[in-house]
Amino acid sequence: MEAPSEDLNERKKAGIRTYTTDVTVNNVGQLRCLNQNILPVTYTDSFYKDVVKEEVKDITNMVYVSDMLVGAICCRFEQQQQAANTTSTTLTSSAGLRRVYIMTFGVLKPYRNYGIGTRMLKSLIKVVATLKDIQDIYLHVQISNEAAINFYKRFGFEIIEKKENYYRKIDPPHSFVLSRKPTPLEEESDSENGGGENGKKQEVKASSEEKKSEDREVKE
């Protein structure tokens, strides 16, 4: 349910406090409910089994306001060979390199425009920059989702390919593949570095730039 506009304005003035946590077998059911509310694609049980694995803990997390889950980003590692058939040949193939694939990423509508999505993506980029043998971070975005495309471009992502008929049950069915090298962001302030620390509470206030570009992301 969308918050009344007057309530949303009051919250933005006051700011909200969030904390970030891992996806576990105990809270993965909440992630399933979140995805059903914000994404047009239904994910299988195998997806939810994979996101609780220890190997993806650093690149998959959820954001809460009080005891309410309001956003999440779920990624996986892919070997170069595994991703070879789904990405552009304009990327240089390097044996042994891994890729980080953003499977799902979104924020509940009443809690968008607070910078929550920005913090989650910045945290992911920061973590990936510390990992070895990473070729890039990449994802699929529906070609009509201009807000999401512009959002990712702000953080150094580039369109490297168009995939025809990528989606099965949404229109238009085509997607762009966006990719970013595993380099640190050029500019980061201390006030925005806390998004990836488990359990750390922080105050989140919307900036005018985030209001324009943060929106629902649509993945596979």
Side-chain angles (χ1 to χ4, degrees):
M1 181 178 179
E2 186 174 353
S5 58
E6 60 271 19
D7 291 348
L8 184 58
N9 290 335
E10 287 302 314
R11 287 211 307 266
K12 286 180 178 179
K13 289 178 183 178
I16 59 174
R17 296 183 68 82
T18 69
Y19 68 93
T20 304
T21 188
D22 300 330
V23 183
T24 70
V25 294
N26 295 320
N27 60 25
V28 70
Q30 296 179 51
L31 175 64
R32 186 190 293 267
C33 291
L34 176 75
N35 286 344
Q36 289 173 347
N37 275 279
I38 65 176
L39 300 175
V41 178
T42 300
Y43 289 85
T44 63
D45 290 342
S46 62
F47 170 87
Y48 294 101
K49 290 179 181 178
D50 289 341
V51 296
V52 301
K53 292 180 178 178
E54 183 71 20
E55 65 192 60
V56 298
K57 186 173 73 171
D58 291 336
I59 57 172
T60 294
N61 56 59
M62 307 193 298
V63 175
Y64 285 80
V65 173
S66 296
D67 59 350
M68 177 184 294
L69 176 62
V70 300
I73 185 167
C74 297
C75 306
R76 70 177 181 232
F77 290 109
E78 294 182 349
Q79 294 298 324
Q80 175 60 37
Q81 294 83 352
Q82 177 183 350
N85 294 327
T86 61
T87 59
S88 172
T89 54
T90 58
L91 283 177
T92 302
S93 298
S94 300
L97 290 183
R98 297 178 297 168
R99 309 185 74 193
V100 174
Y101 179 59
I102 301 177
M103 298 184 290
T104 63
F105 176 29
V107 178
L108 279 176
K109 190 172 182 178
Y111 292 90
R112 294 173 194 164
N113 303 325
Y114 287 95
I116 294 173
T118 293
R119 288 173 180 271
M120 284 194 288
L121 185 58
K122 281 188 173 184
S123 178
L124 174 67
I125 292 171
K126 184 177 180 180
V127 168
V128 171
T130 67
L131 302 177
K132 296 180 179 180
D133 303 323
I134 300 295
Q135 176 171 306
D136 67 341
I137 306 170
Y138 84 104
L139 72 154
H140 295 84
V141 178
Q142 193 177 18
I143 61 170
S144 60
N145 195 342
E146 294 183 5
I149 293 167
N150 291 332
F151 173 77
Y152 286 109
K153 285 183 175 180
R154 283 175 50 206
F155 301 98
F157 284 83
E158 297 179 349
I159 295 173
I160 60 171
E161 186 181 8
K162 180 180 179 181
K163 302 286 289 185
E164 299 285 343
N165 299 311
Y166 179 77
Y167 301 105
R168 296 180 181 178
K169 297 181 179 180
I170 58 177
D171 187 53
H174 317 305
S175 77
F176 287 128
V177 179
L178 281 78
S179 171
R180 184 191 192 281
K181 295 298 182 183
T183 55
L185 290 170
E186 292 183 1
E187 296 182 3
E188 283 191 285
S189 64
D190 292 339
S191 62
E192 294 183 327
N193 286 342
E197 297 180 9
N198 294 343
K200 182 176 181 180
K201 293 189 176 181
Q202 56 198 326
E203 186 172 0
V204 181
K205 294 187 177 179
S207 69
S208 58
E209 185 177 12
E210 286 163 352
K211 290 178 184 178
K212 294 178 183 177
S213 59
E214 186 173 298
D215 205 346
R216 182 182 68 191
E217 322 307 333
V218 180
K219 315 299 185 305
E220 62 178 357

